[in-house]
Amino acid sequence: MHDRLHSDEAIGPAAVSTGHLPPNPAVDVLVDEAFQRYRGVSEGKIADYIPALAKASADWFGVCVAGVDGEIHAVGDTDRAFSIQSISKPFVFALVCQALGGGRARSSIGVNATGLPFNSVMAIELNADRTMNPMVNAGAIATTSLAPGANAEERWRFIRDGLSRFAGRELVMDEEVYESEAATNQRNQGIARLLLGYERMYSDPEEATDIYTRQCALNVTARDLAVMGATLADGGVNPVTRERVVDEDRCRRVLAVMATAGLYEQSGDWLYEVGLPGKSGVAGGLVTTAPGKGGLGVFSPPLDAAGNSVRGQLVTRFLSERLGLNLFASQPAA
């Protein structure tokens, strides 16, 4: 995790979790303060191993908070589209858990952190469960292979429609990003074939890898991410559309996996500093969920060495403390 996140930089008094967000004007002020505080941060590198992502600007930056009451607090480039990438993982896991049951999803995929990078092949070989969890690529591709449907098109529609319901609007795939990733995803293809040999792939490995590549290429905005995070925070009900996307129990399970593995090998640092379930994507997106309160979506393409948005992490830590979101913060009872 970025050195700034480990620093003892004074960012003002930390609020304690109260079970709800502060009054709306206060949220607006703090979201704007977070944006202004970190907009000048220049550290990080834009992902270039996927050619289409390398075209992003380091100046793009948006911050959005969506409350479970449906209120939206946004500043910056919150309506600029970018590919969802790995942020799709927890939401597809939620959809598969809803369709198949949490027990089958857990036994088929696993829920323990690997402690290794997101695309590690070594983690597959070292761990008896192979896939380990749905937040790393092996577990995510296995999760996608469990999507219900009679053929590839039905399985893809299940995922696209489900992610759209989380966002509250129809999501569209970025063809350029898809084609760019499809031309460079040999490692994911190899992971899928390796999992097939271990009987941890539940449909054709090439088909599952292609659908997984498509889901990662869906375009979202920081506003979408905030609403998606708020849907998990609201027990599976989208706070803007009021549509139930998944059951309450599915949200609880998904948030547990996000908390333990959402930022890969840096998940422990993330929980220590931020205290919330979160998930990052290499296009620069970051979603965070404060159960019962709301969701936070940040977009800023420059990444740290682990592939997590530098500004995104700084903003999330700031807002977690100032909005009283940290799940582990408490104070003595009066």
Side-chain angles (χ1 to χ4, degrees):
M1 193 169 288
H2 198 267
D3 288 343
R4 282 175 178 264
L5 202 59
H6 288 162
S7 75
D8 291 324
E9 172 193 8
I11 59 177
V16 175
S17 174
T18 59
H20 52 78
L21 288 173
N24 287 336
V27 179
D28 288 327
V29 168
L30 288 170
V31 168
D32 185 68
E33 183 179 346
F35 179 81
Q36 299 299 336
R37 177 183 287 260
Y38 297 114
R39 67 185 306 179
V41 172
S42 59
E43 289 93 335
K45 180 182 177 183
I46 293 172
D48 57 8
Y49 68 95
I50 300 170
L53 299 186
K55 298 178 180 181
S57 169
D59 295 330
W60 293 344
F61 185 29
V63 182
C64 185
V65 170
V68 294
D69 59 0
E71 291 291 328
I72 303 294
H73 314 270
V75 62
D77 297 315
T78 53
D79 292 320
R80 181 179 292 278
F82 58 93
S83 54
I84 191 170
Q85 299 297 330
S86 287
I87 299 174
S88 64
K89 293 172 178 175
F91 299 99
V92 173
F93 180 57
L95 295 169
V96 168
C97 285
Q98 181 71 21
L100 305 182
R104 181 180 173 191
R106 179 177 183 174
S107 63
S108 298
I109 302 163
V111 294
N112 285 318
T114 69
L116 293 168
F118 68 94
N119 60 351
S120 175
V121 176
M122 185 183 298
I124 299 173
E125 297 288 5
L126 289 178
N127 294 284
D129 287 339
R130 308 304 177 187
T131 49
M132 292 305 294
N133 72 72
M135 301 299 112
V136 294
N137 286 16
I141 297 170
T143 301
T144 296
S145 77
L146 284 166
N151 52 51
E153 183 56 37
E154 288 187 9
R155 286 187 275 273
W156 163 236
R157 190 181 305 119
F158 168 83
I159 289 173
R160 183 193 61 202
D161 291 351
L163 293 178
S164 296
R165 286 160 53 219
F166 267 112
R169 69 179 185 92
E170 184 177 355
L171 301 180
V172 178
M173 189 183 73
D174 187 315
E175 291 286 351
E176 182 184 5
V177 171
Y178 165 69
E179 291 174 3
S180 185
E181 292 199 61
T184 57
N185 69 354
Q186 290 83 2
R187 189 180 186 93
N188 281 343
Q189 294 175 29
I191 285 173
R193 286 192 291 269
L194 179 59
L195 291 176
L196 181 67
Y198 283 120
E199 299 182 342
R200 300 288 279 187
M201 182 59 49
Y202 307 103
S203 67
D204 178 80
E206 292 186 8
E207 174 193 289
T209 304
D210 182 67
I211 296 174
Y212 172 72
T213 305
R214 290 176 181 274
Q215 81 183 41
C216 289
L218 283 169
N219 272 343
V220 292
T221 66
R223 184 184 297 266
D224 291 332
L225 293 186
V227 173
M228 295 171 81
T231 301
L232 290 177
D234 197 29
V237 174
N238 185 306
V240 175
T241 66
R242 303 312 303 168
E243 177 187 6
R244 175 166 292 283
V245 183
V246 293
D247 294 337
E248 294 177 22
D249 184 65
R250 308 306 178 210
C251 293
R252 180 164 60 93
R253 308 298 186 182
V254 170
L255 291 175
V257 181
M258 283 176 67
T260 55
L263 274 82
Y264 310 122
E265 67 270 35
Q266 294 184 339
S267 296
D269 284 326
W270 174 260
L271 271 188
Y272 188 88
E273 298 288 354
V274 177
L276 291 169
K279 188 73 198 75
S280 60
V282 294
L286 180 63
V287 65
T288 310
T289 293
K293 302 169 191 173
L296 168 61
V298 185
F299 172 51
S300 176
L303 313 175
D304 64 14
N308 303 316
S309 172
V310 173
R311 288 195 198 107
Q313 294 174 84
L314 295 169
V315 164
T316 305
R317 178 195 169 191
F318 175 86
L319 290 175
S320 175
E321 293 195 12
R322 297 298 298 276
L323 291 174
L325 306 180
N326 192 314
L327 294 174
F328 309 116
S330 61
Q331 62 186 13

